[in-house]
Amino acid sequence: MTIISNSTSAFYERSSLDIADLRSRAEGLQADLSRGQRISRSSDDPVGASRLRQLQRTDQLSQIDVANAAKATTNLQLTDSALGSFADYVTRIRELTTQAANGTMTDAERNGIGQEIAQIRGNMIQLANSRDAQGGALFGGQSAGAAYTTDAAGNVTYAGTGTSGDLPLGDGQNVTRGLTGPEFLTLPTGSASPDLLTALKTLSDALQAGGAAAQQAAKDGLAALSQGMDQITTAQTVVGTRLAWVDLTTERRTNLTEMRAGEETDVGGTDIASTVARLQETMTVLEASQASFTKLASLSLFSLLN
Amino acid sequence: MASDLLSIGRSGAQAARIALDVTAQNIANASSDGYVRRSVRLAEVSSSGGIGTIGDVSLSGVRLDAVVRNADLFRQAEVRRTGADSMRADAEVAGLENIQAAVEQSNVYNSMVGFESSLQQLVGDPTSTSLRANVVEDARTMVGTFNIAATALQSVGTGLRFEATDGVTQVNTLSGELARVNLRLARAADASSDQTALLDQRDSLLQQLSKFTDVSATINTDSTVEVRIGGSSGPLLVQGGTAGTLGMTTVSDGTITFAVSGFAAAPAPANLTGGSLAGKAQALTKLAAVQTRLDGLADSLAKTVNTAQGNGIDLSGAAGQPMFSGGPPFTAASLGLAMTDGAKIATAASSDVAGSRNPANLNALRTALSASDPVGGMDGLLFDISGTVQGRTVTRDALKTIASGAQVALQAQAGVDLDQEAVNLVRFQQAFQASGKVMQTAKDIFDTLLAIR
């Protein structure tokens, strides 16, 4: 009884469904290509989208680590150059003290040397109170004010905190941002003076006072100066190591950033070659089904019956 | 009773005319929605001979027995069932996509990461006023995005409930219409073209009803239909000429329930499992869960930050004040920014002095935040929503394919095939011409008899 087991409306419905499906698939592929991103909404690939979110979060936090590392590097370099100046001053004072220890020196000459040492000490106090890149005390730890205070008699007291504090460099790594004054100015236990600045004051006072004690004070001072120099060079080594550590973590962070960027492209990027191929395939099928639809739709018995 | 050639020819011509009419009707309605192909069933008119006339010839031609509607009840039920499933999935996915857009496009996640990173940046220089201002501004952005997400979710809920209310109205209109069709069907003559039109209307109404809710239809012997919703044991919606009223109730958390009143004293609760109404109810249930989780994240974040603030001192040395207002308990909608001055951020420990660069309390805050991990929670929430959307989309596409398959199967059986109608047109035209020839023959015979002289 039935010629073709297909009603006219069923044929049209099926054809339109197929063609609409192909069309929407082609449009989806085209959108992927023009965006360069495979994922426009999280539901396109929930796992990939979540991974992308985590990568972007890590990336953003890593940029802060870069800023922190730059801050730490600046402060450590400031510390390093200040330490270099300290070392120069101590060398100069050592020359002067060696002259003063000479028995042929007169009291007047020793007095002059003592005054010069007092001047240099003043410069060293200024240097110890220098500021870091953020405006805080470079050698004052985490205190808000100056690192050292000087009283009317010229005695200095450390006013900062015990440590300089750490800066996070990412991945749980930290670096100590600088040195506190006592960390390189304190003399080893057993010395005549507690720290270098006090020792210099004792030395310059004794030289300016003159007399027999002056030559002995100069000899004692040489020992303290040599210990102070040791402390300063040790501190320079520490700072150098910290700078190397910051460089190491920066390099590691750069590698990780590159890796993350690669993964982001892998997870979220469009694979151009395969997408274009699939688009071409879909277009071919679409054109074929459109052509066959027009051919089939024009097949009507009515046009043949006269 | 003898036979009458002329009247036999006349009945044949008449039957062919009716068949041609039905064919023309089929062609005219080839693309009408819900039209089921008709065909005519013809029956012979004859009588057996009575006493004494056995062996007599008593032929009286042909008559129209019935206009047959080529509908398959099973395929129609399949179209309703699969259509209801597909509509449910469609409505659910649409609702879920809106929920996803509300949470994702409000950029809550990004702003939370922004707040997190500005806190981390502050560690580098805790006394910097610009970095402190940055933290406050990022906190403000985050509060804003939480509020936006909450508002967007609320409007998704309002939209879904509005559409569901409209759906309920449509269901009630359709069920009332169905009850009227039932009444007229009970009075229509059997196998008449009037009845077939009513049956078309009945099936079309049932199919429309199945877009909103899952319909369980029982066809009675008088062709009237009894409709239950929410499964075959669900409450009655239409029985004979009576239609119940579907009602919707909104629960305090924004989810909806349905009940039918009119048949029993108390409204009978309907547990819809298909149709767009069920899909909207499911989307609203998910929406309530998402809102609860978002509020939980806002609450955890604000509480952690405010507690940490209380443990430290700010730039001026005063005890830290809460950063967020609107709780406890905080919700995504109520969350507000209490702090406007960056100097009030308590970065230093309570043992420090004013202006201290010690970030101990800030570090404690960051540790507490990474322990409660609201950013990770937000990622989890987004993953949950998007995973649900993706899974449901796959289900929806599968159900759509099944539904269109069932639709095409019904169309193939009940729809009009124009080629076949073309053949019928030729066939019945020939039948009409043949019957005309019969009448011509009858006239010729009559003329022959008259011509005998």
Side-chain angles (χ1 to χ4, degrees):
Chain A
M1 161 118 181
T2 317
I3 325 174
I4 308 160
S5 65
N6 187 12
S7 83
T8 307
S9 59
F11 165 70
Y12 278 102
E13 179 150 335
R14 209 161 32 207
S15 306
S16 78
L17 275 178
D18 287 348
I19 290 175
D21 181 44
L22 281 168
R23 229 201 124 79
S24 78
R25 225 187 304 166
E27 271 169 26
L29 289 170
Q30 197 272 331
D32 282 358
L33 276 177
S34 60
R35 256 198 329 269
Q37 286 289 321
R38 199 168 54 83
I39 301 173
S40 63
R41 289 174 303 180
S42 292
S43 55
D44 291 345
D45 178 3
V47 179
S50 170
R51 184 80 199 114
L52 277 185
R53 278 197 296 273
Q54 282 158 13
L55 285 172
Q56 278 154 10
R57 177 189 183 189
T58 319
D59 233 23
Q60 194 166 346
L61 295 181
S62 171
Q63 280 165 17
I64 308 292
D65 293 333
V66 173
N68 279 351
K71 254 179 217 155
T73 308
T74 315
N75 284 344
L76 286 171
Q77 278 168 350
L78 280 174
T79 309
D80 193 41
S81 71
L83 285 175
S85 305
F86 268 112
D88 291 346
Y89 285 137
V90 171
T91 312
R92 174 70 187 140
I93 294 173
R94 234 175 26 192
E95 284 169 24
L96 293 170
T97 314
T98 314
Q99 286 174 24
N102 194 336
T104 59
M105 282 274 170
T106 64
D107 273 0
E109 283 169 333
R110 287 211 180 90
N111 187 12
I113 290 174
Q115 283 186 12
E116 189 173 348
I117 290 177
Q119 279 302 319
I120 295 175
R121 177 174 172 270
N123 290 347
M124 286 170 75
I125 294 171
Q126 293 282 331
L127 195 58
N129 273 336
S130 56
R131 297 271 148 181
D132 65 11
Q134 285 81 44
L138 185 58
F139 298 109
Q142 295 166 338
S143 81
Y148 285 91
T149 52
T150 317
D151 62 12
N155 295 312
V156 292
T157 326
Y158 180 63
T161 59
T163 56
S164 343
D166 291 345
L167 267 181
L169 295 176
D171 291 337
Q173 308 301 324
N174 291 309
V175 68
T176 311
R177 70 171 87 206
L179 289 172
T180 61
E183 274 172 342
F184 66 95
L185 290 175
T186 306
L187 296 175
T189 43
S191 309
S193 304
D195 65 62
L196 190 60
L197 293 172
T198 316
L200 289 179
K201 178 163 167 51
T202 316
L203 176 64
S204 72
D205 285 355
L207 288 178
Q208 289 176 53
Q215 192 187 355
Q216 186 55 42
K219 283 179 180 160
D220 294 344
L222 276 177
L225 281 170
S226 149
Q227 285 168 338
M229 194 66 179
D230 282 354
Q231 291 286 344
I232 291 168
T233 45
T234 311
Q236 275 183 312
T237 316
V238 168
V239 169
T241 319
R242 283 183 194 166
L243 277 168
W245 168 238
V246 173
D247 282 351
L248 193 74
T249 56
T250 305
E251 194 178 325
R252 186 177 131 73
R253 196 169 38 243
T254 312
N255 289 341
L256 285 175
T257 309
E258 277 169 17
M259 228 174 67
R260 272 196 301 272
E263 196 179 341
E264 272 184 37
T265 320
D266 284 351
V267 174
T270 309
D271 181 352
I272 304 276
S274 78
T275 312
V276 167
R278 275 193 296 145
L279 180 62
Q280 192 55 53
E281 181 195 350
T282 314
M283 295 298 289
T284 312
V285 178
L286 179 59
E287 277 166 25
S289 48
Q290 281 168 343
S292 67
F293 170 73
T294 26
K295 278 217 161 24
L296 273 177
S298 62
L299 263 190
S300 173
L301 202 48
F302 282 103
S303 56
L304 301 174
L305 293 172
N306 288 313
Chain B
M1 168 74 192
S3 56
D4 172 5
L5 193 57
L6 199 59
S7 73
I8 291 176
R10 185 188 57 83
S11 75
Q14 208 165 29
R17 271 295 299 274
I18 292 172
L20 279 171
D21 284 351
V22 168
T23 307
Q25 181 80 357
N26 280 345
I27 292 171
N29 284 297
S31 57
S32 298
D33 217 20
Y35 182 81
V36 175
R37 182 169 59 87
R38 319 268 203 264
S39 54
V40 288
R41 192 166 67 213
L42 301 174
E44 182 192 7
V45 183
S46 65
S47 54
S48 53
I51 299 167
T53 57
I54 298 173
D56 203 352
V57 178
S58 54
L59 302 172
S60 308
V62 68
R63 67 176 171 84
L64 174 72
D65 187 39
V67 176
V68 182
R69 224 173 132 258
N70 297 281
D72 182 335
L73 286 180
F74 171 71
R75 289 189 189 186
Q76 283 180 332
E78 274 301 285
V79 166
R80 284 198 297 270
R81 186 183 66 78
T82 56
D85 282 348
S86 166
M87 286 303 287
R88 180 200 61 72
D90 229 14
E92 190 192 9
V93 168
L96 287 173
E97 277 177 344
N98 284 340
I99 296 172
Q100 174 180 252
V103 181
E104 198 171 23
Q105 289 171 6
S106 65
N107 272 331
V108 185
Y109 180 83
N110 296 347
S111 71
M112 284 169 89
V113 174
F115 180 65
E116 190 187 20
S117 64
S118 64
L119 282 177
Q120 187 177 334
Q121 199 165 15
L122 187 58
V123 177
D125 189 7
T127 52
S128 158
T129 45
S130 57
L131 289 185
R132 281 170 175 266
N134 191 26
V135 171
V136 171
E137 288 316 308
D138 278 349
R140 195 192 305 280
T141 309
M142 187 176 65
V143 166
T145 54
F146 262 111
N147 296 159
I148 290 170
T151 317
L153 284 178
Q154 269 165 11
S155 59
V156 168
T158 314
L160 281 171
R161 281 188 292 274
F162 177 76
E163 284 169 13
T165 313
D166 177 57
V168 166
T169 316
Q170 301 251 29
V171 165
N172 285 331
T173 313
L174 289 170
S175 57
E177 201 66 30
L178 205 51
R180 271 191 290 282
V181 169
N182 266 350
L183 276 182
R184 287 167 60 196
L185 265 176
R187 294 173 196 146
D190 232 11
S192 61
S193 69
D194 193 23
Q195 194 198 30
T196 51
L198 281 172
L199 290 177
D200 271 3
Q201 210 173 347
R202 180 198 72 188
D203 292 343
S204 160
L205 283 170
L206 276 176
Q207 201 169 324
Q208 285 178 48
L209 201 56
S210 75
K211 286 180 180 157
F212 296 103
T213 161
D214 49 337
V215 174
S216 168
T218 317
I219 311 282
N220 298 322
T221 43
D222 60 354
S223 291
T224 59
V225 68
E226 188 180 291
V227 179
R228 289 175 185 274
I229 59 171
S232 52
S233 56
L236 267 175
L237 186 66
V238 178
Q239 190 178 39
T242 321
T245 310
L246 184 66
M248 185 182 102
T249 317
T250 308
V251 189
S252 59
D253 64 353
T255 54
I256 49 176
T257 58
F258 301 99
V260 181
S261 54
F263 287 102
N271 183 24
L272 304 185
T273 54
S276 62
L277 285 179
K280 293 193 197 313
Q282 284 169 339
L284 280 168
T285 309
K286 182 75 190 173
L287 176 67
V290 168
Q291 276 174 326
T292 310
R293 270 184 81 173
L294 189 69
D295 287 348
L297 286 174
D299 188 50
S300 143
L301 179 87
K303 270 184 187 153
T304 310
V305 174
N306 283 356
T307 309
Q309 274 286 115
N311 291 337
I313 55 162
D314 63 18
L315 203 54
S316 66
Q321 295 300 310
M323 183 181 279
F324 297 108
S325 62
F330 299 89
T331 66
S334 76
L335 193 67
L337 192 66
M339 181 183 291
T340 50
D341 181 6
K344 301 276 186 211
I345 300 170
T347 54
S350 53
S351 55
D352 286 317
V353 293
S356 169
R357 290 193 289 162
N358 182 9
N361 196 48
L362 182 59
N363 282 333
L365 163 62
R366 291 180 56 232
T367 312
L369 269 183
S370 68
S372 65
D373 199 15
V375 183
M378 194 66 218
D379 178 46
L381 176 60
L382 280 169
F383 179 72
D384 176 23
I385 304 169
S386 57
T388 314
V389 170
Q390 192 207 27
R392 297 291 197 279
T393 310
V394 172
T395 315
R396 179 198 60 183
D397 291 348
L399 288 174
K400 211 171 214 168
T401 312
I402 295 172
S404 61
Q407 181 77 32
V408 167
L410 176 66
Q411 291 273 350
Q413 189 258 343
V416 179
D417 180 354
L418 284 177
D419 288 345
Q420 196 185 338
E421 299 307 326
V423 171
N424 283 346
L425 212 54
V426 174
R427 175 197 293 163
F428 292 124
Q429 193 185 357
Q430 285 173 352
F432 186 83
Q433 285 166 348
S435 294
K437 198 74 191 166
V438 169
M439 286 188 273
Q440 173 76 46
T441 310
K443 180 179 172 291
D444 288 352
I445 292 172
F446 188 63
D447 287 348
T448 310
L449 290 176
L450 280 183
I452 296 172
R453 317 209 149 158

